[in-house]
């Protein structure tokens, strides 16, 4: 049996905008055994730390996808964090509130974005405890979670000076962003200050991703952003990290690891 992982609630006293929402999380299991979560009102991160002798100091906040209606926690969350931590990179799997769930009062660019921003601030506030470098904390998102990661990479601040909550004093700017078959936000404000980006999708994904991600790559390069793009032939949507992934698509985690190393994110300071 896998060892239990620490789960840290983003706002211990309750998330702003979730007042009065007491429904428990719902979990269903797909025919393939995938855990799919909905009804999130206490957003959290699940902590995957590497062995001390392997730790590189890098960390990634991981946002699973699910169309903003649910969260596919295994192949776009826990399996990813497991792979990263086994390669010396701390992983933090985000459970965020869901804007498009039936009856939801949440929004993508309000509530959900606040959750991933808070996760970045929280990891940065506990960097020493978790053995990560506060300057090497990035985001990774899949599908709808990729939209959140992309928003986090373009909408950030340096922290709220004098905030009563010390977590809010931390910057929520990611050091880098990894966007895997993301829903691409409209009107992204890109500049040379935009965090470096690792982009990947399948050539057989729907057109707004298989063509939209290369267009985003070109826009990033024109803006002076460090970016790398992989479009995998014969691959569709939702590959994540699965035992059944074979051939070229099974290489993307190693490509990401190599990209981090090439850009100096895995080096001890």
């Amino acid at each position: 049996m896998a060892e239990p992982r620490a789960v840290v609630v983003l706002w211990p006293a309750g998330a702003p905008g979730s007042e009065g929402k007491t429904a428990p999380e719902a979990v269903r299991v797909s025919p393939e055994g995938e855990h799919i979560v909905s009804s999130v009102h206490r957003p959290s991160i699940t902590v995957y730390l590497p062995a001390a002798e392997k730790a590189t100091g890098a960390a990634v906040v991981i946002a699973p996808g699910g169309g903003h209606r649910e969260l596919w926690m295994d192949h776009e969350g826990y399996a990813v964090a497991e792979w990263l931590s086994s390669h010396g990179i701390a992983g933090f799997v985000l459970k965020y509130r869901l804007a498009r769930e039936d009856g939801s009062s949440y929004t993508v660019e309000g509530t959900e974005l606040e959750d991933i921003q808070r996760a970045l601030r929280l990891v940065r506030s506990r960097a020493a405890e978790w053995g990560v470098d506060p300057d090497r904390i990035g985001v990774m998102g899949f599908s709808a979670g990729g939209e959140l990661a992309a928003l986090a990479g373009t909408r950030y601040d340096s922290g709220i000076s004098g905030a009563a909550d010390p977590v809010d004093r931390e910057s929520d700017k990611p050091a880098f962003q990894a966007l895997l078959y993301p829903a691409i936000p409209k009107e992204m404000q890109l500049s040379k200050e935009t965090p470096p980006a690792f982009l990947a999708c399948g050539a057989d994904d729907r057109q707004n991703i298989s063509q939209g991600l290369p267009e985003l790559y070109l826009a990033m390069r024109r803006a002076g952003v460090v970016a790398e793009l992989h479009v995998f032939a014969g691959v569709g949507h939702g590959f994540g990290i699965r035992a059944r992934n074979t051939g070229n698509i099974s290489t993307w985690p190693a490509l990401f690891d190599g990209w981090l190393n090439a850009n100096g994110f895995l080096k001890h300071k």
Side-chain angles (χ1 to χ4, degrees):
M1 183 178 292
E3 102 181 58
R5 304 285 178 170
V7 176
V8 181
V9 175
L10 298 186
W11 286 276
S18 291
E19 295 84 0
K21 298 182 187 291
T22 58
E25 278 185 8
V27 182
R28 67 182 177 89
V29 180
S30 74
E32 297 80 24
E34 180 96 6
H35 294 84
I36 304 159
V37 171
S38 56
S39 188
V40 177
H41 303 298
R42 285 173 59 80
S44 64
I45 51 173
T46 302
V47 180
Y48 284 71
L49 299 180
E53 66 272 14
K54 287 188 174 182
T56 64
V60 184
V61 173
I62 304 159
H68 303 291
R69 294 179 180 85
E70 56 191 11
L71 299 173
W72 287 68
M73 297 302 301
D74 295 335
H75 77 286
E76 294 176 349
Y78 303 140
V80 177
E82 189 72 57
W83 192 96
L84 291 172
S85 63
S86 72
H87 289 76
I89 303 161
F92 300 88
V93 183
L94 175 65
K95 280 186 186 174
Y96 54 91
R97 291 169 287 177
L98 297 162
R100 295 181 187 149
E101 193 173 13
D102 288 347
S104 177
S105 62
Y106 303 135
T107 63
V108 174
E109 297 190 16
T111 323
E112 292 190 5
L113 178 57
E114 287 174 6
D115 289 353
I116 198 167
Q117 290 171 330
R118 175 72 176 191
L120 284 159
R121 297 188 206 274
L122 177 60
V123 174
R124 194 161 273 128
S125 75
R126 297 178 66 171
E129 174 188 347
W130 286 330
V132 302
D133 183 338
D135 294 328
R136 290 188 280 146
I137 301 167
V139 289
M140 174 183 285
F142 298 82
S143 194
E147 182 176 10
L148 278 193
L151 288 168
T154 53
R155 302 185 190 182
Y156 48 77
D157 61 47
S158 58
I160 304 166
S161 178
D165 184 343
V167 174
D168 287 336
R169 300 173 202 160
E170 300 288 344
S171 170
D172 61 5
K173 182 178 181 179
F176 55 85
Q177 54 185 318
L179 310 181
L180 285 296
Y181 45 91
I184 300 170
K186 294 181 173 62
E187 300 177 2
M188 291 179 69
Q189 300 298 312
L190 303 171
S191 75
K192 63 182 181 180
E193 302 304 319
T194 300
F198 177 91
L199 312 174
C201 68
D204 294 348
D205 206 332
R206 51 187 180 266
Q207 184 174 327
N208 63 323
I209 293 176
S210 61
Q211 295 185 22
L213 200 61
E215 290 169 1
L216 177 59
Y217 166 78
L218 293 173
M220 285 180 162
R221 297 300 297 128
R222 286 192 292 268
V225 181
V226 173
E228 181 169 302
L229 170 68
H230 298 272
V231 180
F232 294 95
V235 173
H237 193 73
F239 47 82
I241 292 183
R242 299 178 186 265
R244 69 171 184 254
N245 287 355
T246 59
N248 61 347
I249 198 54
S250 67
T251 68
W252 81 259
L255 292 170
F256 174 62
D257 183 78
W259 178 82
L260 287 177
N261 190 50
N263 285 280
F265 292 112
L266 302 187
K267 297 176 182 177
H268 293 282
K269 290 190 175 181

